[in-house]
Amino acid sequence: MWQIFHKLGSPKWFFGIASTLMPWLLWVGLALMVAGIGWGLAFAPQDYLQGNSYRIIFIHVPSAFLAQSVYMMMAVAGLVTLVWRMKLADVFVKAVAPVGAVLTFLALFTGAVWGKPTWGTWWIWDARLTSMLILLFLYFGVIALGAAISDEKSSARAVAVLVLVGVVNIPIIKYSVEWWNTLHQPATFKLTEKPSMPAEMWVPLLLSVLGLYLIFGWLTCLRMQTEILVREGRTRWVKELVQAGGN
Amino acid sequence: MHPIRKKRLTIVLFLLAGVSVAVALTTYALRQNINLFYDPSQIAQGEAPVDVRIRAGGMVEEGSVLRDPESLKVEFKVTDFTSSVLVEYTGILPDLFAEGQGVVAMGRMDGNGRFVADQVLAKHDENYMPPEVNEALEKAAGKRASMPGVQDEAAASY
């Protein structure tokens, strides 16, 4: 088992695997996204209270969901960096942090657009919205810290520590709506209960969440490959690869 | 596992535990500030300060909404099904405002136990359903018990 784990850490091996996976991730992801969002926006029924404005959840929920889950993945990678000193884990953190930041921003933005007609305000300092804003700043911090330290090893360690300290924010985001009084409603989806939403609404939502996961996977592979090429530019396999592809 | 890695893992876990405890204690100490609003029971027990801008939240009580025909003034009761508090507001209410729906009002308590609001926000719950389903539900509920007249009487008395 440990052997597979260490093999995973080899940039060359990852580069090959990523190349095979990428077309699948992209096309299946795109198909799911188009199906989910198209179904959600055009065919799913209206909500009895909010009418059509609730349809923003088909973008808001996937991006908010992924924003948190990307951070959790970064935290696992941070742990791997600190304990096993695996270079690839740091490549992952550096590659996905900007993606996570964009997703968090998208969740906040679509939430504000929905909040204005539904609640009557763009923004309120309730626990859910504030902790999500902190998540955005954590992503910015990770990006900035990684860029500020030029030495690869110290940068990797510093970023990993920051990512791990920030991970306490994730349960706060998740449970904020239960621990405190907030304007944001509690979760519609729970692991143990039936969703408080009919199937013709949650099935397209689920499709768009899965689609966004796959597209995130594709984008991650692409960004990690680029980062690997930059870092391993001096090694023989990269030189051979560039020569084979370049001419 | 290699002893050095084991040591590093222990350090990281200690770091995580320490940060978690620190954050838990801080948020616990600040819980009064993190809570967005006071619920009617807290206000009834006198936990909410008088004459300080606070938020009050809960359900709009069925049949409690009184609209002044001459102005934009509205009065309604906000309840958490144990106690309720009378809210007075002048202005435009959000679209989702309705009896039986959640609201969060911003304003201050006057001395007489009335909450004078200058902003009312609608609070949406986690339930979504198509309009037809809601109609069917309401029909079923209407068959069981309906008390006509109560609402009209209340509206007329304003």
Side-chain angles (χ1 to χ4, degrees), chain A residues 2 6 45-50 54 57 79 81-85 114 117-121 124-127 161 164-168 172 179-188 190 196-198 200-201, chain B residues 1 4-6 8-10 12-13 15-16 19-20 23 27-28 30-31 33-39 42 55 94-96 98 101 103-104 119-132 134:
Chain A
W2 287 112
H6 286 290
Q46 287 194 9
D47 180 57
Y48 74 115
L49 269 180
Q50 306 172 53
Y54 93 94
I57 60 164
L79 184 73
T81 305
L82 285 181
V83 178
W84 286 274
R85 301 281 140 94
W114 176 83
T118 317
W119 295 337
T121 183
I124 190 160
W125 292 100
D126 87 344
V161 170
L164 277 170
V165 168
V167 83
V168 284
I172 294 183
W179 289 341
W180 302 292
N181 289 335
T182 55
L183 190 60
H184 195 287
Q185 63 270 25
T188 297
K190 293 178 193 97
S196 10
M197 189 183 245
E200 58 264 47
M201 287 181 186
Chain B
M1 208 194 286
I4 295 179
R5 287 176 186 152
K6 207 173 234 168
R8 288 189 201 137
L9 187 63
T10 330
V12 171
L13 290 181
L15 169 93
L16 261 183
V19 174
S20 310
V23 171
T27 47
Y28 181 73
L30 292 174
R31 66 194 181 284
N33 300 54
I34 299 175
N35 273 329
L36 186 70
F37 52 83
Y38 290 93
D39 41 41
Q42 286 174 308
R55 291 199 191 88
D95 291 351
L96 249 63
Q101 284 293 317
V103 286
V104 174
Q119 187 192 32
V120 173
L121 302 174
K123 183 166 159 50
H124 185 255
D125 61 15
E126 70 271 34
N127 299 308
Y128 296 79
M129 57 177 137
E132 306 86 59
N134 184 49

Side-chain angles (χ1 to χ4, degrees), chain B:
Chain B
M1 208 194 286
H2 199 282
I4 295 179
R5 287 176 186 152
K6 207 173 234 168
K7 200 176 139 200
R8 288 189 201 137
L9 187 63
T10 330
I11 294 173
V12 171
L13 290 181
F14 265 111
L15 169 93
L16 261 183
V19 174
S20 310
V21 169
V23 171
L25 287 174
T26 316
T27 47
Y28 181 73
L30 292 174
R31 66 194 181 284
Q32 219 31 275
N33 300 54
I34 299 175
N35 273 329
L36 186 70
F37 52 83
Y38 290 93
D39 41 41
S41 305
Q42 286 174 308
I43 294 175
Q45 284 159 19
E47 274 178 47
V50 175
D51 239 22
V52 176
R53 258 171 83 81
I54 55 164
R55 291 199 191 88
M59 287 284 196
V60 180
E61 208 171 287
E62 297 280 350
S64 75
V65 180
L66 302 175
R67 286 172 202 270
D68 183 358
E70 304 282 296
S71 67
L72 285 173
K73 201 170 148 194
V74 195
E75 261 187 30
F76 53 88
K77 276 186 188 151
V78 169
T79 178
D80 61 355
F81 305 108
T82 351
S83 337
S84 63
V85 60
L86 193 66
V87 179
E88 194 186 292
Y89 174 65
T90 309
I92 297 165
L93 291 163
D95 291 351
L96 249 63
F97 179 90
E99 287 175 1
Q101 284 293 317
V103 286
V104 174
M106 179 129 194
R108 48 185 88 222
M109 290 299 297
D110 69 0
N112 315 319
R114 286 161 78 92
F115 188 83
V116 183
D118 48 48
Q119 187 192 32
V120 173
L121 302 174
K123 183 166 159 50
H124 185 255
D125 61 15
E126 70 271 34
N127 299 308
Y128 296 79
M129 57 177 137
E132 306 86 59
V133 177
N134 184 49
E135 271 167 35
L137 280 178
E138 273 182 0
K139 236 184 232 170
K143 262 182 206 162
R144 252 185 279 131
S146 62
M147 290 198 291
V150 174
Q151 226 167 308
D152 305 25
E153 240 172 71
S157 71
Y158 200 84

Side-chain angles (χ1 to χ4, degrees), chain A residues 118-135:
Chain A
T118 317
W119 295 337
T121 183
W122 297 101
W123 181 263
I124 190 160
W125 292 100
D126 87 344
R128 171 57 75 81
L129 274 63
T130 310
S131 53
M132 206 59 190
L133 188 67
I134 293 173
L135 182 67

